[in-house]
Amino acid sequence: MTVRGDFHEPARPRPDLVIGREELFAGAREQLSGGGSVLVHGPAGIGKSTVLRALAAECAESSRTVLRCSATESESHLPFLALADLLGLVVDQIAHRLPAPQRTALESALTGRGESTLQRDGLALRLAVLSAFRALAARGPVLIVADDLQWLDPASAELLGFAARRLGGTPVRMLCAVRTETEPQAQDHDRFLRASVPETLALRVAPLARAQVADLLAQRGYTGLPRSTVRDIHRTSGGNPLFALELGRALAESPTRPSPGEPLPVPTSLRALVLSRLDMLSAEARRTLLVASAGARPTLALLHAAGRENAEAETASAAALGLLATERDTPGIRFAHPLVSAALYAEADAQERRAAHAALSRAASDPIERARHLALATTGTDPTVAARLGEAAAAARDRGAPSVAVGLGLLAARHTPPGTVPGPDERRLGAAEDALTAGETDLARDIARQVLSRATAPAERVRAWMVVVDSAGQAMSEIDAVFPQALADAGDDPGLVALVRYQLGWRALLMDGEMTKAREEAARSARLAARAGDRRTELLALGFQAQMETLMGHPDAPSTIQRAMREPQDPRVACDHNGAGAARFRWLIMSDRLAEARTAITALLREVQRRGMVESELHFLRGLAETELRSGHCGRALDLARESLRLARDTGIGEAATAMFTSLAEAAGGDVDRALALAHEAVDRAEEDGDMVYLSRALGALGHAQLVAGDASAAVRSLRRVRELEEALGVIDPARGRWHGDLAEALVRIGETAEAQDVIDVTRRRALRLERESVLAVLDRAEALVRAARGEQGPAERQLASAQDRLGKLGYGLEEARAAYALAGLRTFPQHPGVARAGGTPVPGPTSYDEAARLFRRCRALPWLRQVEAASARPPAAPPLAPAALDSLAATERQVAALVMEGATNREIAGRLFISVKTVEATLTRVYRKLGIRSRVDIVRLAAERRPD
């Protein structure tokens, strides 16, 4: 592909504004910080100059001299121009240090006086440039910044390369950019590397991902574009930032935006940019390329079937001009860049396009493609064409391609005459529902709003309202006014009222946090749907009712799940994330049946991926990740969680919930700082949406990450809020969020053992009633820490060993490892290795952590493994303190320590000494430092050791 040389890439020098280049920047910074040089390369518009300017701005701060040049194609014939840009402003500073012949040759080349040439003054000029760089380097580090090396005049390129190859050992770095071909495997940059400083690092600037293109468009002010349009911009631009911005600008300036499946408007600037050689093709070859651009998967056979008899020769000539990519051992025809195809199509007039589509409607072998081309070749309404498009949309839906079904459904609506059955709006609503399935929620909402602006039939209006509600996701507060309008449109029709009541159940849960009311609305919806014979809505309502009963610990949950799983079933509901299958999975995983839960969720995930159900896929990816995390497969859980987060970011669906769960996975097997950042994001999003249900889950993830990070006080603050929220929500089952053990452990760490015991007691009663064995084992682990804090060493160790054994048998690998870690901590403190505790039992040394390390390593629980390694590397604890050791404490410090020895909590100490809790915490920190211990638990143990036998 060829491009105009005067089309400049957008400038944006600040590195914090450069999107999607983090890995490239990291590699370049490491190379440059070590004194090396970097060559950035890639196709036109990919962002090389932006990257170059950002890196140069960073490196300039550590350079004594910065030399710059930026060549253009129109000036590449002027000899020594780039050399003049580099040295013109500094030559006077170092000319006196050059030998006379070199100085004369260099000045002649830079000023144009004396007609210096490489042929006549070759050696003197080469040595002069080398000497100039060395002289500048003698004063301090030199940075040479050269953009668009491909347009460097040959004389300057020769001189720069000669000097670069001989600058080894001098503090001269080169930061350069060069345009190379689109194909990644092309090695066009090799010749520029040979002309660079030895061991220069070549970095290719890659295309942006779809989410990065969305960020770029938003950064430049092109906001409000539907995600489907952003997807089309990304596909058409090939991830090229310049092309994406030009397409975004064209859309912003266009009075009407294209419908799904229609080509994007390609501005004149981009057409000229990529089609500069189109005029060199014959008229017939251009028609052949137009047919290829209109086809979904063009091949030579397809072009022949469409009447292009000389397709081989015509496509070969297009490939020679760089318009088509040369494909080996494949019948496919691929344009050099997606924008070439889009620009070709945009260049053609309406009649030429219709002719191309008409030819393809006869030639295409796929019925979906034939129907699409027939529609694009037809003007006005046509019931036959509309019917074929409706059949094609159904076929695409069955193939698991709902996004294709959207475009076909909208084309069918366009060709459907008014007054027919199904009518235009009914077809549009089908397209909107397909858009929901495909995860294109903003498109679905826009289509539904269009239908509501003109539809009068109650069924169509209620159906459109339901699309609006579904497209809102968790942010139901934004569409609260919809519900009374939908109820009014539903009237007394039981089927329509059932639809609205089902959504009112979700509103009660998400906005009001009322699980009891949500359950009642779901049950009411199921009864109405059954009366109306609407099995699909009945199944959804029963699935939702079962979910509420499971979270509430309601005894009817298993029977409701069974009702929802009876025949007849609706295939789409059976695998929907709100269906009975999902409710059964939740019940299984909360009941400690991990193997069955994994089998169930894997089957659901496979089915929704086959059907292209994006939102359900997102839910089930998280569900499978949760199952793996519970099972102690932290690496696998982290991979799945990150995959779900990428999908959530890409679609804009469930970002808060996915960030919440990915935080848990990061805290278990990844990076704790990232876990904290994701948890904070989830909390902020849930609070912004007014989503009380996911707010409690997000705070639970935040508290867990804070605990893993070692910030027990912050963990207590977060998890206390979770406790308050779940009490208000009516969440009874402790297997829902599993935060209770974390809260008790964090409370022990800050000295609030009484509150920790209360959390354990309340939760244990509920877990016993619901037979949540893994929850009970985790509570025992936490209670053992409470006992240890009270000086009950022996019972604490026995309880921890029992909890570890039970968790292992249940298959909770990570929780088992945490119990082993806690047990190792009790067994290695406070005595020296080999010192006997009361009763003559020898105390193990740091090797007690070996079992915990083995279990965490098996789980790939890297954050926990790092904690174990740090604990086992600590020096042995000091032997028991003599009473005189307390004499080093101030009066208040001795009082606080004495009360701790009695087992008082921080709050109790504050009340008895008439000081604040914060003052107690600060005083204890000083006590720990002076006594050489780590926590209040150690003070209790010291007190126990000083008691007479």
Side-chain angles (χ1 to χ4, degrees):
M1 181 179 67
T2 59
V3 294
R4 289 210 320 266
D6 58 348
F7 202 104
H8 298 291
E9 300 178 31
R12 186 71 65 156
R14 283 175 50 191
D16 60 321
L17 296 179
V18 181
I19 292 172
R21 307 301 186 197
E22 294 79 10
E23 186 174 345
L24 185 149
F25 267 86
R29 287 189 185 108
E30 182 179 357
Q31 175 78 355
L32 292 164
S33 64
S37 297
V38 171
L39 175 68
V40 176
H41 66 98
I46 202 67
K48 302 179 301 298
S49 296
T50 304
V51 169
L52 192 75
R53 281 188 285 269
L55 286 171
E58 290 184 2
C59 295
E61 299 175 2
S62 60
S63 302
R64 172 70 169 75
T65 305
V66 180
L67 308 175
R68 302 176 186 271
C69 71
S70 183
T72 62
E73 184 179 15
S74 60
E75 297 172 340
S76 60
H77 65 285
L78 300 174
F80 306 119
L81 182 61
L83 187 67
D85 288 341
L86 287 171
L87 296 176
L89 297 178
V90 298
V91 67
D92 291 342
Q93 302 172 25
I94 45 89
H96 64 283
R97 302 188 60 180
L98 305 181
Q102 294 180 22
R103 181 170 62 250
T104 301
L106 183 59
E107 289 176 346
S108 176
L110 295 180
T111 62
R113 296 191 296 271
E115 299 181 357
S116 178
T117 65
L118 277 178
Q119 288 74 22
R120 191 180 71 184
D121 304 313
L123 182 58
L125 267 175
R126 287 173 171 82
L127 293 175
V129 173
L130 178 60
S131 298
F133 288 152
R134 284 174 173 167
L136 290 168
R139 304 189 309 175
V142 176
L143 177 66
I144 299 172
V145 183
D147 198 2
D148 281 318
L149 286 184
Q150 74 279 1
W151 303 132
L152 240 62
D153 62 273
S156 296
E158 168 63 26
L159 294 171
L160 188 59
F162 175 87
R165 291 189 294 272
R166 290 163 177 80
L167 285 172
T170 60
V172 176
R173 295 174 295 176
M174 294 184 69
L175 181 55
C176 306
V178 63
R179 180 183 299 176
T180 52
E181 291 299 323
T182 303
E183 297 300 324
Q185 63 269 25
Q187 298 296 313
D188 296 4
H189 65 281
D190 277 359
R191 61 190 178 95
F192 295 99
L193 273 178
R194 290 192 291 270
S196 303
V197 173
E199 299 185 10
T200 293
L201 176 65
L203 294 172
R204 179 176 178 81
V205 185
L208 298 179
R210 189 196 305 183
Q212 294 164 346
V213 167
D215 291 343
L216 177 66
L217 292 167
Q219 183 192 88
R220 301 301 176 87
Y222 303 130
T223 56
L225 294 173
R227 289 183 182 271
S228 57
T229 301
V230 173
R231 178 198 62 201
D232 291 341
I233 291 175
H234 176 258
R235 184 183 64 246
T236 303
S237 68
N240 185 297
L242 171 64
F243 298 169
L245 288 172
E246 285 294 297
L247 291 168
R249 181 181 60 79
L251 282 167
E253 295 175 354
S254 175
T256 58
R257 291 177 180 171
S259 299
E262 292 184 349
L264 296 177
V266 180
T268 303
S269 58
L270 286 186
R271 295 187 203 179
L273 183 66
V274 300
L275 299 179
S276 56
R277 296 193 179 183
L278 189 62
D279 291 338
M280 300 174 68
L281 287 174
S282 67
E284 288 301 311
R286 289 185 63 160
R287 291 191 187 96
T288 296
L289 287 192
L290 174 61
V291 174
S293 71
R297 293 173 296 277
T299 63
L300 287 173
L302 179 65
L303 293 178
H304 280 302
R308 310 311 303 166
E309 297 178 356
N310 299 317
E312 286 91 346
E314 290 163 351
T315 54
S317 63
L321 292 173
L323 294 166
L324 295 178
T326 303
E327 296 283 1
R328 296 180 180 178
D329 303 324
T330 176
I333 293 172
R334 185 166 63 86
F335 286 90
H337 190 279
L339 191 60
V340 176
S341 175
L344 268 166
Y345 193 87
E347 280 281 290
D349 60 33
Q351 186 175 351
E352 290 173 327
R353 294 180 196 173
R354 285 197 297 272
H357 286 296
L360 288 168
S361 70
R362 298 184 294 271
S365 58
D366 184 81
I368 293 177
E369 278 298 294
R370 287 200 302 272
R372 186 178 76 87
H373 289 302
L374 178 62
L376 294 172
T378 305
T379 58
T381 59
D382 186 321
T384 302
V385 172
R388 287 185 59 180
L389 284 166
E391 293 167 0
R397 199 177 299 123
D398 291 341
R399 289 184 188 179
S403 58
V404 174
V406 175
L408 293 167
L410 292 176
L411 281 173
R414 183 190 305 173
H415 289 286
T416 299
T420 57
V421 178
D425 282 337
E426 188 172 350
R427 293 195 187 278
R428 289 187 183 94
L429 287 170
E433 290 161 353
D434 285 327
L436 284 175
T437 302
E440 298 177 6
T441 53
D442 48 358
L443 175 61
R445 181 190 59 247
D446 291 346
I447 296 172
R449 292 288 188 188
Q450 291 174 15
V451 171
L452 286 166
S453 68
R454 56 178 172 263
T456 56
E460 289 181 350
R461 291 189 61 80
V462 171
R463 190 174 165 192
W465 286 126
M466 296 305 96
V467 171
V468 171
V469 173
D470 280 332
S471 65
Q474 309 296 123
M476 279 204 167
S477 59
E478 298 176 3
I479 47 93
D480 199 30
V482 162
F483 294 101
Q485 298 178 67
L487 277 174
D489 284 330
D492 56 2
D493 185 311
L496 298 181
V497 176
L499 287 170
V500 182
R501 288 292 168 192
Y502 171 70
Q503 296 291 5
L504 281 170
W506 281 103
R507 181 195 178 283
L509 175 67
L510 297 176
M511 288 185 62
D512 301 332
E514 297 183 12
M515 286 193 174
T516 300
K517 184 176 179 182
R519 174 181 176 269
E520 291 171 354
E521 289 285 12
R524 184 176 179 183
S525 173
R527 290 193 299 271
L528 287 166
R531 199 170 83 198
D534 181 357
R535 181 62 172 162
R536 181 176 185 276
T537 302
E538 181 189 8
L539 290 170
L540 282 171
L542 286 171
F544 183 41
Q545 180 183 342
Q547 288 189 55
M548 293 302 96
E549 290 172 349
T550 300
L551 295 177
M552 295 166 62
H554 198 287
D556 290 348
S559 62
T560 305
I561 293 173
Q562 289 178 354
R563 285 174 58 202
M565 299 191 75
R566 289 176 192 154
E567 296 296 337
Q569 285 289 316
D570 182 306
R572 284 197 300 168
V573 176
C575 62
D576 189 274
H577 59 280
N578 290 322
R584 179 174 176 270
F585 159 74
R586 179 57 46 198
W587 183 80
L588 285 171
I589 200 169
M590 292 172 68
S591 302
D592 299 326
R593 295 162 68 172
L594 295 181
E596 292 177 75
R598 181 184 290 106
T599 299
I601 198 67
T602 300
L604 287 168
L605 178 59
R606 188 182 299 116
E607 181 63 15
V608 297
Q609 287 175 331
R610 186 187 73 79
R611 291 177 174 272
M613 299 169 67
V614 173
E615 186 172 3
S616 293
E617 178 183 359
L618 183 60
H619 278 263
F620 296 151
L621 275 172
R622 291 201 306 258
L624 182 55
E626 181 181 357
T627 309
E628 299 295 354
L629 188 59
R630 299 274 173 250
S631 304
H633 305 150
C634 299
R636 171 68 172 152
L638 184 59
D639 290 341
L640 288 164
R642 287 175 174 173
E643 182 183 350
S644 70
L645 187 61
R646 285 192 293 271
L647 183 59
R649 299 274 198 243
D650 193 35
T651 61
I653 297 173
E655 291 187 78
T658 311
M660 174 274 297
F661 187 79
T662 308
S663 169
L664 292 172
E666 290 282 355
D671 180 82
V672 178
D673 289 337
R674 179 160 171 76
L676 288 166
L678 286 168
H680 279 295
E681 176 191 337
V683 170
D684 292 344
R685 284 181 176 271
E687 288 181 329
E688 181 181 339
D689 292 341
D691 184 346
M692 305 305 292
V693 174
Y694 271 112
L695 177 58
S696 69
R697 297 293 307 273
L699 285 166
L702 177 59
H704 179 73
Q706 290 164 333
L707 182 65
V708 177
D711 191 349
S713 296
V716 166
R717 288 193 295 272
S718 297
L719 296 174
R720 278 174 176 161
R721 285 189 66 192
V722 178
R723 192 180 190 190
E724 294 169 0
L725 281 168
E726 294 209 347
E727 289 296 331
L729 285 167
V731 177
I732 301 300
D733 197 328
R736 184 246 186 181
R738 298 178 182 267
W739 48 266
H740 314 77
D742 284 346
L743 176 55
E745 182 176 336
L747 286 165
V748 171
R749 290 192 191 181
I750 67 169
E752 299 293 348
T753 54
E755 184 181 349
Q757 189 64 56
D758 178 66
V759 171
I760 292 166
D761 292 341
V762 171
T763 309
R764 180 177 281 136
R765 286 194 293 272
R766 295 173 177 176
L768 282 169
R769 180 173 66 82
L770 296 169
E771 299 180 343
R772 302 304 191 219
E773 291 299 323
S774 63
V775 174
L776 290 167
V778 168
L779 292 174
D780 279 354
R781 185 185 69 203
E783 188 171 54
L785 298 177
V786 174
R787 286 184 165 184
R790 293 171 176 165
E792 302 172 24
Q793 183 81 9
E797 289 187 17
R798 289 191 292 273
Q799 192 169 18
L800 271 175
S802 172
Q804 178 185 340
D805 181 64
R806 288 157 58 203
L807 287 165
K809 289 178 179 177
L810 288 167
Y812 284 76
L814 181 58
E815 300 296 349
E816 176 192 5
R818 286 181 64 179
Y821 180 36
L823 184 58
L826 291 189
R827 287 175 171 171
T828 57
F829 195 84
Q831 296 92 340
H832 279 304
V835 175
R837 62 164 63 93
T841 305
V843 181
T847 54
S848 298
Y849 286 106
D850 289 350
E851 173 69 1
R854 182 186 69 81
L855 292 173
F856 281 133
R857 196 173 290 112
R858 183 184 68 184
C859 294
R860 286 183 59 192
L862 300 183
W864 290 101
L865 185 60
R866 285 189 283 269
Q867 288 190 37
V868 172
E869 290 170 348
S872 60
R874 292 188 191 110
L881 292 174
L886 298 177
D887 295 341
S888 63
L889 302 180
T892 301
E893 293 167 350
R894 284 199 299 273
Q895 287 179 305
V896 170
L899 290 171
V900 169
M901 291 177 182
E902 295 176 12
T905 67
N906 287 3
R907 288 181 182 175
E908 291 168 344
I909 294 170
R912 290 169 66 174
L913 297 182
F914 302 101
I915 58 178
S916 69
V917 174
K918 287 187 176 180
T919 300
V920 174
E921 292 172 351
T923 304
L924 277 174
T925 300
R926 294 195 298 274
V927 171
Y928 301 155
R929 185 172 61 251
K930 290 181 178 181
L931 297 183
I933 59 180
R934 294 194 297 271
S935 72
R936 62 183 294 124
V937 176
D938 306 330
I939 296 178
V940 174
R941 290 175 182 150
L942 292 175
E945 289 164 3
R946 292 170 54 205
R947 295 187 188 110
D949 293 335

